[in-house]
Amino acid sequence: MQVYEELVARGLIAQVTNEEEIRKMINQGKAVFYIGFDPTADSLHVGHFMALCLMKRLQMAGNKPIALIGGGTAMIGDPSGRSDMRQMMTTETIAHNVECFKKQMSRFIDFSEDRAMLVNNAEWLLDLNYVEVLRDIGPHFSVNRMLTAECYKQRMEKGLSFLEFNYMIMQSYDFYELFRRYGCNMQFGGDDQWSNMLGGTELIRRKLGKDAHAMTITLLLNSEGKKMGKTQSGAVWLDPDKTSPFEFYQYWRNVADADVLKCLRMLTFLPLEQIEEMDSWEGSQLNQAKEILAYELTSLVHGQEEAKKAQDASRALFAGGGDATHMPSYELKEEDFRDGVIDILSVLTASGLAGSRSEARRNVEQGGVSVDSIQEKDVKKTYSKEDFLGEGKVVKRGKKNFVRVFVQ
């Protein structure tokens, strides 16, 4: 199976403008393609994961990726999929975030020997002359047509600012500049970016002639991929200081049963034949598939050593074996104890598993608390310092909230 056919089989391709030409370019390793990343935080998150994996796949097949950092567009903000206006960012914040992105992307993309490029659209957008843009670019965009785009429809009811209205023009201009400067002949983006991407393809053809090669492809479920970046407790980041390797592992270990194979196909580099064999797995075997998914993705982001540590810690939590020292932990302080003991409610509040003693009491009474896999329903249960020596105890509230509590 060639690379384009594999992208289709893995469920990554949603729409294309010229499938025959795109297939030929990708399979022959002649695609110079870009994917854009707006530096709205100082770390990439799992919502970017699909794009990074796709870039890695295509580079392995001989194609050349361009990671476009939106240092210019980030100063406006993309209205796609948003119901409110994005907060303005300073140039200093954007510059810092760009540097953080470079470091994280290097784990997926080989930038050596001109095999890939990292470009910031601030290079051309920030120096544009407004009147020249109106005269040179403005005539190629129909306002009526722009207003039919889904990304604008979602914002019309609450108010679409003229600032945000320009985003399509800026993204289209990015493709034009990348084509002109670096020979970029293909762009990838989420299905919510389709209108913006078509605008770029059309701008190149209008400016440079019908023979100009400019292709567009959207990624199936990339909008869903953005949602993957957030859980009830906040974003799942690729930066280990924001989301530890264990927390990252657990995020994928806890995906819904219905999503396991989809994530394995779209995000891992395991052979499709191996993944298809898991299609009939049920029960404990399905949990094994989740372990495989979590290990493969944690290894991609944090390396095999950290992935193994996270796997051991997870097994210690769920199966009673392995090394628990790498899971989230809390060290009890002297002031946490009263007369040498601490009750279960104080353990829950001190470790952050419960926000108050009343909440902790409800959790215990309702049977939602366990200590070293043993359910604890006695709100008066106490522990001594000696109970938490060594590796300590794994305290769990609900199905997904847990902390290793210990004393030095």
Side-chain angles (χ1 to χ4, degrees), residues 189-227:
D191 51 0
D192 59 336
Q193 295 285 316
W194 184 244
S195 297
N196 296 349
M197 295 167 67
L198 289 178
T201 300
E202 186 63 21
L203 179 62
I204 290 174
R205 288 174 178 165
R206 285 174 173 268
K207 291 281 292 177
L208 302 177
K210 293 182 179 180
D211 293 333
H213 281 275
M215 307 295 174
T216 57
I217 297 182
T218 64
L219 305 185
L220 183 64
L221 299 176
N222 203 34
S223 295
E224 181 175 315
K226 291 179 180 179
K227 296 174 186 175

Side-chain angles (χ1 to χ4, degrees), residues 162-175:
F162 184 70
L163 181 74
E164 295 171 291
F165 188 63
N166 277 270
Y167 193 91
M168 180 186 290
I169 297 175
M170 294 177 73
Q171 183 172 332
S172 299
Y173 190 77
D174 280 344
F175 193 23

Side-chain angles (χ1 to χ4, degrees), residues 117-138:
M117 299 181 66
L118 193 145
V119 180
N120 189 336
N121 65 11
E123 293 178 17
W124 53 80
L125 290 181
L126 297 189
D127 292 331
L128 287 176
N129 179 285
Y130 184 63
V131 174
E132 288 181 4
V133 171
L134 288 177
R135 290 174 57 86
D136 191 35
I137 306 300

